[in-house]
Amino acid sequence: MTTHAPQAAHTVTLPGSLDEAVAALAAMPTAVPVAGGTDLMAAVNSGLLRPAALVGLGRINEIRGWQYQDGAALLGAGLTHARMGRPDFAALIPALATAARSAGPPQIRNAGTLGGNIASAAPTGDALPVLAALEASLVIAGPGGERREMPIGRLLAGLDMLRPGELIGYVRVPLLHAPQTFLKATGRTGPSRAVASVAVVLDPARRSVRCAVGAVAPMPLRPFDAERWVSSIIDWDGERTLAPDVLAAFGDYVATACIPDPPPAQSALDGTEPGTLPPAVLHLRRTVSTLARRALGRALA
């Protein structure tokens, strides 16, 4: 996150293309890009951010849709949650459409964008576990027309960051044409931030299950051992069904991998029994287990 001196934005630039937006950011290093503004304006209103300049991305039509490219969907970073929630997009990437429809109330879904969800990298971002499970990659636009690609996990983990003047232009998502699900638990009824979320994707070509858990850590977590275990016992050439006790075991495997027991020293500091978690964390673990079990069951149904 980049912060600036507490002053109002004096310059607003409205480029008409992705390269123009990159050039504007390169010319004004203190400028902040803004699309839907759902996260940016919250930071401004709370006094956490006072950008000296803004580069508006709302007029860049090339990043507001999607196209097909080499067996993948190239999604524009300006796609709104509302657009991704429509039936035609849901037929393309069902789990991402489900996540988009649960992203918040209508005013948030109409304004918030896919690129903003990624750039903000909030742990509760609904699109993030889906993109992690799909093993999506980002197409980054840089000065001089440069384009580079990186796995989304590298950006979310802080292993590769956006350089000065760069923007997330597109998100490349492999088209698996296979079942995929997204489930989330919230603290209240109706659209709200996730307490925990789980995305499950089947990849029959690779005979694998991919799973990502959101909201329980600063970035989506992939329980690789649980994925390999359950992938090895699915009959990929048959009905692809699993017994309820196997689904429950998968849920527990995922939850324990993402929320492990604390070391004895940490338990002593928390005042709990050695090797046990506080009640609130145990409840969160049970929530993740239930979501993972149900998500895999629905994907296999």
Side-chain angles (χ1 to χ4, degrees), residues 73 75 84 88-98 130 134 173-175 180:
L75 311 180
M84 291 187 291
D88 59 341
F89 189 91
L92 189 70
I93 312 174
L96 190 54
T98 302
V130 178
L134 289 168
V173 179
L175 294 177
Q180 50 188 254

Side-chain angles (χ1 to χ4, degrees), residues 248-284:
F250 172 73
D252 291 342
Y253 203 161
V254 170
T256 303
C258 295
I259 308 176
D261 290 328
Q266 182 63 42
S267 297
L269 291 175
D270 294 339
T272 59
E273 293 294 326
T276 62
L277 293 168
V281 182
L282 282 173
H283 177 71
L284 181 60

